[in-house]
Amino acid sequence: MEESKHTPSVDKDLDEETLFIVSQTFKALSDPTRIRILYLLSQKEYSVNEIAEKLSLGQSAVSHQLRFLKNLRLVKYRRAGTTLYYSHDDKHVMNILKQTIDHARHH
């Protein structure tokens, strides 16, 4: 069977940096706490305290997860006085998350 000329070679198209970013993104989405935080932030922005309260989590646990997500540029924040308000920062990843949730709910 002859390979189509239009089918890109996986090895050639996926450089190390791309592979790393993809794997880190799926790592972020593999943790239930991070999924809950991202899902919450898909609805509106929240402060660390609000996230902790809504998800019944400790403030330090939420801060730790937000730091992880921010390093991957999946969340961003804005400062209002002494409070940081977090929101999602990657529509593509949020779409993947929502599609996966829909898939799981209709499975």
Side-chain angles (χ1 to χ4, degrees):
M1 190 171 184
E2 204 174 297
E3 198 175 314
S4 168
K5 291 181 181 177
H6 298 296
T7 305
S9 166
V10 173
D11 292 336
K12 190 169 33 174
D13 289 348
L14 287 175
D15 59 87
E16 290 300 315
E17 183 181 0
T18 302
L19 282 169
F20 180 74
I21 293 169
V22 170
S23 69
Q24 289 298 297
T25 302
F26 279 109
K27 181 180 176 182
L29 295 176
S30 71
D31 181 86
T33 300
R34 289 192 288 263
I35 292 170
R36 293 173 70 211
I37 291 170
L38 284 170
Y39 184 72
L40 189 65
L41 295 178
S42 73
Q43 298 160 37
K44 69 175 203 150
E45 68 174 18
Y46 288 95
S47 70
V48 175
N49 288 342
E50 291 169 332
I51 295 168
E53 189 178 308
K54 283 210 169 273
L55 300 181
S56 301
L57 296 168
Q59 195 174 345
S60 63
V62 170
S63 293
H64 173 76
Q65 298 298 354
L66 287 169
R67 226 177 356 265
F68 183 92
L69 294 169
K70 186 178 177 310
N71 287 339
L72 290 172
R73 297 186 188 129
L74 299 181
V75 300
K76 60 185 175 185
Y77 67 84
R78 70 174 179 86
R79 186 180 300 273
T82 59
T83 305
L84 300 179
Y85 289 94
Y86 284 84
S87 57
H88 71 85
D89 195 25
D90 190 321
K91 288 182 183 174
H92 296 110
V93 172
M94 297 310 289
N95 285 335
I96 292 168
L97 177 61
K98 287 181 180 182
Q99 288 174 6
T100 306
I101 291 168
D102 289 346
H103 173 75
R105 286 180 171 161
H106 296 100
H107 198 75

